[in-house]
Amino acid sequence: MKLTKTLVLASAAMFVGAGAQAADLPVKAKAIEYVKICSLYGAGFYYVPGTDTCVKLGGYLRVEAGLRTNSYGYPADSGLGGAQNRLSNYYTAFAREALNIDTRTATEYGLVRTYFQGVFTWYSGGYNGAGTGLTGGATAYNAAPAGTNGTGSIAGGRLGVYDAFIQFAGFTIGRAQSQFSAPWAEYPANWYEMPGSGGWERVVQLTYTADFGQGVTASFSAQDQVTSYQGGVWNVSAATPAAIAFGQYGANDTGGSRAPDLVAMLRVDQAWGLFQASVAAHDNHAGYYGASEVTGYPGDKWGWAGQLALSIKNIPTGPGDTINMSAVYTNGASRYNFQSYNSNVFAMYGGTSLPGAYQSVGIAGVPDSVFVAGAGQELTTTYGFNGGFTHNWDPHWVSSLYGSWAAVRYNGTAQGYICGAVVTNLALSSGLAGCNPNFNHATIGTYTSWTPVKGLTFLAELNYMMLHQKYASGSTVTLPLQANIAKPGAAYELKNQNSLTMLLHAQRNW
């Protein structure tokens, strides 16, 4: 037993000694490559390990609720929101997370920059009518809420891409804000959508920007017109009662893309503020008069748009206060005024005291052009302005006041086409003499926001919108059954309409 114990202790001592000798040998440590701060382009940039490229990550999380509307940041001007009945939402919920990736590399040819912004969006949607007859009432949850005209968020969740562009040697290539628009676009002091200027929506473009120094730049751009800058080429010969009741005076008959929109912009951006002048040319390319190519087609017609924008800083009301304003004129390029985030068809319902009428309705539409079979396109004219004042009470509280006004005018030939369709399809009581599809659109609103800590903001915004139609006073139309918004087939008084809605907003920027 004593011998065994001696052998065990000796073996243990041998292993301990061997381990101590091994521990004394030098071991090469694994290289650690720490992320380095990149100070070349401002705060938040870091070097991508192993490269000379700097990257900055950012984004925001936003939660909103629209009150008395079937969308968020939009008036109740069409579809379920405009119906103002039991299918209309008292509130609509929305949530979004955005991710921004900004990379920059200094090269012998100058700076190479890429920028990406993607969004993950959830939107609550609503319920369209799906009933039949007097006892077959039913609804269906919608995937694209009525009233968004295909431009709003999809109910449920979705992925989206805002920006995705490369900048190099003065060129911008990819998806970015149109050079036509001022930096604040249609948001001079607001979150709600409104016409009166170029829009915030992103568009694929090839742009060259010349920098003359002292904040003076000029840009020349060819941009895609398909996704955001098509107001529609309407074939009035194919108008239907259901479409006119929704505000669309003809079937959309836009042909395939032929030419990008051409944009030129001059900007002066200095300490006092900003001035910008923009022009755009837009090709209106129609499909066919009928169902096949043998029916013929109207020739292309180019439209145009012009805008002046002004921002004034350092005003006497307080530090950080600003006044932003824009004015725009379009002929055959209506999306440069009524941007694609706005609807270009309107159908708003209200009460009436006119004997024999079920309710009142305001109907209006804004295409780029209209035509009838065998004739050419007639371009639609629009003009308008928007502006806003933002006041900083202190570093935490901000209030604003804003407004817009826009007009849509059809020439005499276009009015004849549209009025013929309205009288024929909707039995306009005042006939051709009382028919005038021109209209005005006006908005006024205010918001107050609170930022308790840096990057976290809570906001409440109140918005009033009015649709001023031009049909003869006391005129009625006979609308068909519209099961999707639960409106019966009946006589409706044509009348001005309005919308009062509210937006509640919370956002964390990071």
Side-chain angles (χ1 to χ4, degrees), residues 55 59 81 190:
V55 63
N190 55 291

Side-chain angles (χ1 to χ4, degrees), residues 70 80 87 89 92 124-128 140-143 145 155:
N70 277 60
L80 293 172
L87 300 188
N89 284 355
T92 302
S124 61
Y127 287 87
N128 286 327
Y141 184 66
N142 55 30

Side-chain angles (χ1 to χ4, degrees), residues 196-510:
S197 67
W200 182 90
E201 62 269 69
R202 272 39 182 161
V203 59
V204 176
Q205 61 190 270
L206 172 61
T207 297
Y208 178 74
T209 299
D211 190 339
F212 303 105
Q214 303 297 316
V216 180
T217 59
S219 296
F220 305 91
S221 180
Q223 68 178 38
D224 173 47
Q225 64 164 239
V226 175
T227 55
S228 298
Y229 286 89
Q230 291 278 18
V233 177
W234 289 357
N235 181 354
V236 181
S237 294
T240 65
I244 298 175
F246 191 67
Q248 185 167 327
Y249 293 121
N252 186 43
D253 201 356
T254 305
S257 62
R258 287 296 181 271
D261 285 7
L262 304 177
V263 177
M265 177 269 286
L266 176 67
R267 179 181 293 172
V268 180
D269 188 354
Q270 298 175 342
W272 61 266
L274 179 147
F275 170 79
Q276 178 175 317
S278 313
V279 292
H282 173 82
D283 179 38
N284 293 290
H285 178 73
Y288 296 99
Y289 290 132
S292 76
E293 59 191 36
V294 300
T295 60
Y297 54 85
D300 285 22
K301 220 168 189 182
W302 280 82
W304 68 280
Q307 175 184 258
L308 296 176
L310 178 67
S311 178
I312 304 174
K313 305 175 184 176
N314 303 318
I315 56 181
T317 53
D321 289 7
T322 58
I323 296 174
N324 297 324
M325 63 187 80
S326 302
V328 64
Y329 182 95
T330 76
N331 182 243
S334 61
R335 281 303 191 190
Y336 288 92
N337 185 354
F338 288 81
Q339 318 89 11
S340 67
Y341 283 177
N342 286 279
S343 180
N344 70 337
V345 290
F346 304 92
M348 303 173 68
Y349 291 83
T352 183
S353 58
L354 187 68
Y358 172 70
Q359 288 180 347
S360 64
V361 64
I363 297 173
V366 197
D368 289 330
S369 68
V370 298
F371 69 89
V372 294
Q377 298 184 58
E378 301 296 330
L379 301 183
T380 306
T381 296
T382 81
Y383 46 90
F385 65 87
N386 63 41
F389 166 63
T390 302
H391 175 62
N392 294 267
W393 300 100
D394 59 33
H396 303 285
W397 288 91
V398 176
S399 294
S400 80
L401 180 66
Y402 64 87
S404 70
W405 181 87
V408 175
R409 299 292 183 264
Y410 295 97
N411 65 29
T413 303
Q415 287 192 45
Y417 295 161
I418 292 170
C419 288
V422 172
V423 170
T424 300
N425 287 277
L426 300 186
L428 177 65
S429 63
S430 55
L432 292 175
C435 178
N436 186 347
N438 298 333
F439 71 96
N440 298 334
H441 182 292
T443 296
I444 189 170
T446 181
Y447 79 70
T448 294
S449 67
W450 175 50
T451 303
V453 296
K454 183 179 179 181
L456 178 63
T457 299
F458 301 93
L459 176 148
E461 181 170 348
L462 189 66
N463 178 279
Y464 177 81
M465 171 261 176
M466 187 182 76
L467 181 71
H468 181 215
Q469 53 91 54
K470 302 290 186 179
Y471 289 96
S473 177
S475 296
T476 63
V477 288
T478 302
L479 300 185
L481 168 67
Q482 300 173 79
N484 63 316
I485 58 173
K487 290 297 181 182
Y492 292 79
E493 179 189 7
L494 289 171
K495 188 177 178 182
N496 299 339
Q497 303 293 335
N498 59 71
S499 161
L500 180 64
T501 58
M502 190 173 191
L503 176 70
L504 302 178
H505 166 105
Q507 182 164 316
R508 170 73 164 101
N509 297 327
W510 57 275

Side-chain angles (χ1 to χ4, degrees), residues 62-150:
R62 179 184 302 167
V63 181
E64 293 181 335
L67 306 184
R68 202 173 173 269
T69 176
N70 277 60
S71 190
Y72 58 93
Y74 296 82
D77 57 13
S78 59
L80 293 172
Q84 295 300 309
N85 59 20
R86 292 184 62 84
L87 300 188
S88 305
N89 284 355
Y90 280 7
Y91 73 91
T92 302
F94 164 88
R96 169 175 290 163
E97 172 68 31
L99 172 64
N100 309 331
I101 305 173
D102 190 347
T103 73
R104 306 188 190 190
T105 307
T107 75
E108 59 270 33
Y109 298 101
L111 179 69
V112 177
R113 182 194 183 200
T114 68
Y115 185 81
F116 170 83
Q117 183 179 96
V119 292
F120 307 83
T121 301
W122 180 88
Y123 182 46
S124 61
Y127 287 87
N128 286 327
T132 58
L134 297 177
T135 59
T139 61
Y141 184 66
N142 55 30
T148 64
N149 195 33

